[in-house]
Amino acid sequence: MITWFDALLVTLWAVLTALGARRGLAGLAWGVGGLAACFLANALVGGPAAALLAALLGVGIAVMTLRLIQTPLEHPWHLGAGALGGFLLGGMLVAALALGLPLDVKVGTEGKRAVYPSASLQPALYRAVRDSVVQSSLRSVWGSSPALKTLLIPDQTRAR
């Protein structure tokens, strides 16, 4: 079932894709640079320092993009390249938001296991995330490669 949480995530993804297309070739650099900045920040430091480092790297990428790409919309294909950059960055942001809520740890006869999302969330948010199509399609990230986990759920990568 599609929930209001899914609608917000898909809307955010569409907005970032459109922003990338609007910027043209600079949007591709913006999207790929944003992915690289987030990955580096998550890999090098944790917590609030990662957000600060990602913001600083993002500003540096934005300044370099402005200086290196003087006319971002010279050719029609630049719109598609920019849309791709926005799509990539938006997909990363949507996945991080969908998987970034707290976990519960359940102890049973099989041992400890993590349950997502935590039942301690507000009831409306808990139901929306639990029933989310986007969140359920991203569950494979929990068992994926360390690089993808570093990008999308860095706190879970460090905890193990």
Side-chain angles (χ1 to χ4, degrees):
M1 168 171 60
I2 295 177
T3 66
W4 60 265
F5 185 68
D6 291 323
L8 286 175
L9 292 176
V10 170
T11 301
L12 175 64
W13 201 347
V15 166
L16 287 172
T17 301
L19 283 174
R22 184 170 183 251
R23 295 291 303 149
L25 198 54
L28 178 63
W30 168 70
V32 173
L35 283 173
C38 290
F39 180 79
L40 283 174
N42 287 340
L44 297 176
V45 293
L52 181 62
L53 180 59
L56 290 173
L57 289 170
V59 168
I61 290 167
V63 169
M64 285 185 355
T65 300
L66 285 173
R67 289 197 176 148
L68 295 175
I69 304 173
Q70 297 295 324
T71 52
L73 292 173
E74 280 183 350
H75 305 288
W77 65 268
H78 288 176
L79 292 172
L84 176 64
F87 184 81
L88 292 173
L89 187 61
M92 187 270 314
L93 182 59
V94 163
L97 289 172
L99 298 173
L101 295 168
L103 293 166
D104 266 346
V105 177
K106 300 284 184 184
V107 179
T109 57
E110 309 87 32
K112 286 184 184 179
R113 68 180 176 92
V115 178
Y116 185 80
S118 173
S120 65
L121 294 173
Q122 294 294 323
L125 180 59
Y126 173 75
R127 282 189 305 277
V129 174
R130 181 195 64 201
D131 298 336
S132 170
V133 173
V134 173
Q135 184 270 131
S136 64
S137 68
L138 292 168
R139 286 190 183 165
S140 61
V141 170
W142 297 104
S144 67
S145 71
L148 188 59
K149 288 169 43 175
T150 298
L151 182 63
L152 299 178
I153 48 173
D155 56 331
Q156 296 303 313
T157 305
R158 290 191 208 314
R160 301 206 188 277

